[in-house]
mmCIF file of all heavy atoms in Angstrom:
data_model
loop_
_atom_site.group_PDB
_atom_site.id
_atom_site.type_symbol
_atom_site.label_atom_id
_atom_site.label_comp_id
_atom_site.label_asym_id
_atom_site.label_seq_id
_atom_site.Cartn_x
_atom_site.Cartn_y
_atom_site.Cartn_z
ATOM 1 N N LYS A 326 -115.576 21.380 -67.755
ATOM 2 C CA LYS A 326 -115.570 20.137 -66.966
ATOM 3 C C LYS A 326 -116.690 19.234 -67.454
ATOM 4 O O LYS A 326 -117.838 19.655 -67.557
ATOM 5 C CB LYS A 326 -115.802 20.503 -65.495
ATOM 6 C CG LYS A 326 -115.884 19.326 -64.564
ATOM 7 C CD LYS A 326 -114.519 18.807 -64.227
ATOM 8 C CE LYS A 326 -114.601 17.426 -63.628
ATOM 9 N NZ LYS A 326 -113.270 16.847 -63.434
ATOM 10 N N ILE A 327 -116.339 18.009 -67.778
ATOM 11 C CA ILE A 327 -117.375 17.054 -68.171
ATOM 12 C C ILE A 327 -117.416 15.992 -67.082
ATOM 13 O O ILE A 327 -116.374 15.469 -66.682
ATOM 14 C CB ILE A 327 -117.027 16.348 -69.515
ATOM 15 C CG1 ILE A 327 -116.503 17.353 -70.553
ATOM 16 C CG2 ILE A 327 -118.210 15.528 -70.030
ATOM 17 C CD1 ILE A 327 -117.457 18.400 -71.006
ATOM 18 N N MET A 328 -118.583 15.721 -66.584
ATOM 19 C CA MET A 328 -118.658 14.650 -65.591
ATOM 20 C C MET A 328 -119.945 13.861 -65.732
ATOM 21 O O MET A 328 -120.907 14.322 -66.345
ATOM 22 C CB MET A 328 -118.455 15.189 -64.175
ATOM 23 C CG MET A 328 -119.348 16.296 -63.755
ATOM 24 S SD MET A 328 -118.583 17.304 -62.458
ATOM 25 C CE MET A 328 -118.214 16.089 -61.257
ATOM 26 N N THR A 329 -119.895 12.671 -65.183
ATOM 27 C CA THR A 329 -121.086 11.835 -65.276
ATOM 28 C C THR A 329 -121.814 11.891 -63.954
ATOM 29 O O THR A 329 -121.234 11.661 -62.901
ATOM 30 C CB THR A 329 -120.692 10.392 -65.624
ATOM 31 O OG1 THR A 329 -119.912 10.453 -66.812
ATOM 32 C CG2 THR A 329 -121.914 9.535 -65.876
ATOM 33 N N ASP A 330 -123.054 12.243 -64.054
ATOM 34 C CA ASP A 330 -123.864 12.368 -62.863
ATOM 35 C C ASP A 330 -124.811 11.173 -62.801
ATOM 36 O O ASP A 330 -125.390 10.787 -63.817
ATOM 37 C CB ASP A 330 -124.660 13.675 -62.958
ATOM 38 C CG ASP A 330 -125.564 13.866 -61.770
ATOM 39 O OD1 ASP A 330 -125.092 14.438 -60.781
ATOM 40 O OD2 ASP A 330 -126.726 13.425 -61.822
ATOM 41 N N PRO A 331 -124.979 10.578 -61.613
ATOM 42 C CA PRO A 331 -125.822 9.383 -61.530
ATOM 43 C C PRO A 331 -127.272 9.644 -61.934
ATOM 44 O O PRO A 331 -127.968 8.726 -62.367
ATOM 45 C CB PRO A 331 -125.732 8.977 -60.059
ATOM 46 C CG PRO A 331 -125.071 10.099 -59.341
ATOM 47 C CD PRO A 331 -124.334 10.908 -60.339
ATOM 48 N N PHE A 332 -127.732 10.879 -61.836
ATOM 49 C CA PHE A 332 -129.144 11.154 -62.138
ATOM 50 C C PHE A 332 -129.399 11.611 -63.565
ATOM 51 O O PHE A 332 -130.357 11.195 -64.196
ATOM 52 C CB PHE A 332 -129.704 12.182 -61.141
ATOM 53 C CG PHE A 332 -129.587 11.734 -59.728
ATOM 54 C CD1 PHE A 332 -128.611 12.264 -58.899
ATOM 55 C CD2 PHE A 332 -130.419 10.735 -59.233
ATOM 56 C CE1 PHE A 332 -128.483 11.822 -57.594
ATOM 57 C CE2 PHE A 332 -130.299 10.285 -57.933
ATOM 58 C CZ PHE A 332 -129.322 10.831 -57.109
ATOM 59 N N VAL A 333 -128.536 12.482 -64.059
ATOM 60 C CA VAL A 333 -128.835 13.044 -65.386
ATOM 61 C C VAL A 333 -127.878 12.583 -66.482
ATOM 62 O O VAL A 333 -128.044 12.947 -67.632
ATOM 63 C CB VAL A 333 -128.860 14.592 -65.353
ATOM 64 C CG1 VAL A 333 -129.999 15.097 -64.518
ATOM 65 C CG2 VAL A 333 -127.542 15.166 -64.856
ATOM 66 N N GLY A 334 -126.897 11.767 -66.145
ATOM 67 C CA GLY A 334 -125.959 11.307 -67.157
ATOM 68 C C GLY A 334 -124.845 12.318 -67.361
ATOM 69 O O GLY A 334 -124.393 12.950 -66.408
ATOM 70 N N ARG A 335 -124.446 12.488 -68.643
ATOM 71 C CA ARG A 335 -123.292 13.332 -68.897
ATOM 72 C C ARG A 335 -123.637 14.819 -68.742
ATOM 73 O O ARG A 335 -124.594 15.312 -69.332
ATOM 74 C CB ARG A 335 -122.757 13.081 -70.298
ATOM 75 C CG ARG A 335 -121.413 13.720 -70.518
ATOM 76 C CD ARG A 335 -120.467 12.792 -71.194
ATOM 77 N NE ARG A 335 -121.006 12.410 -72.487
ATOM 78 C CZ ARG A 335 -120.280 12.380 -73.589
ATOM 79 N NH1 ARG A 335 -119.017 12.706 -73.563
ATOM 80 N NH2 ARG A 335 -120.813 12.009 -74.717
ATOM 81 N N LEU A 336 -122.826 15.480 -67.945
ATOM 82 C CA LEU A 336 -123.044 16.902 -67.660
ATOM 83 C C LEU A 336 -121.825 17.673 -68.133
ATOM 84 O O LEU A 336 -120.696 17.299 -67.819
ATOM 85 C CB LEU A 336 -123.098 17.100 -66.151
ATOM 86 C CG LEU A 336 -124.428 17.047 -65.427
ATOM 87 C CD1 LEU A 336 -124.160 17.183 -63.939
ATOM 88 C CD2 LEU A 336 -125.339 18.156 -65.898
ATOM 89 N N ALA A 337 -122.068 18.725 -68.885
ATOM 90 C CA ALA A 337 -120.946 19.562 -69.317
ATOM 91 C C ALA A 337 -121.033 20.904 -68.596
ATOM 92 O O ALA A 337 -121.950 21.687 -68.840
ATOM 93 C CB ALA A 337 -121.007 19.769 -70.821
ATOM 94 N N PHE A 338 -120.090 21.148 -67.708
ATOM 95 C CA PHE A 338 -120.057 22.447 -67.014
ATOM 96 C C PHE A 338 -119.479 23.473 -67.971
ATOM 97 O O PHE A 338 -118.456 23.228 -68.607
ATOM 98 C CB PHE A 338 -119.180 22.365 -65.759
ATOM 99 C CG PHE A 338 -119.874 21.694 -64.614
ATOM 100 C CD1 PHE A 338 -119.873 20.310 -64.510
ATOM 101 C CD2 PHE A 338 -120.548 22.437 -63.657
ATOM 102 C CE1 PHE A 338 -120.530 19.675 -63.471
ATOM 103 C CE2 PHE A 338 -121.202 21.825 -62.609
ATOM 104 C CZ PHE A 338 -121.201 20.438 -62.519
ATOM 105 N N PHE A 339 -120.134 24.594 -68.060
ATOM 106 C CA PHE A 339 -119.615 25.626 -68.959
ATOM 107 C C PHE A 339 -119.764 27.009 -68.360
ATOM 108 O O PHE A 339 -120.637 27.260 -67.542
ATOM 109 C CB PHE A 339 -120.302 25.553 -70.330
ATOM 110 C CG PHE A 339 -121.786 25.837 -70.289
ATOM 111 C CD1 PHE A 339 -122.279 27.088 -70.636
ATOM 112 C CD2 PHE A 339 -122.689 24.845 -69.912
ATOM 113 C CE1 PHE A 339 -123.647 27.355 -70.607
ATOM 114 C CE2 PHE A 339 -124.062 25.113 -69.871
ATOM 115 C CZ PHE A 339 -124.540 26.367 -70.219
#
Side-chain angles (χ1 to χ4, degrees):
K326 177 79 196 174
I327 316 296
M328 54 205 305
T329 305
D330 178 88
F332 302 104
V333 294
R335 191 135 60 135
L336 268 176
F338 282 84
F339 64 100

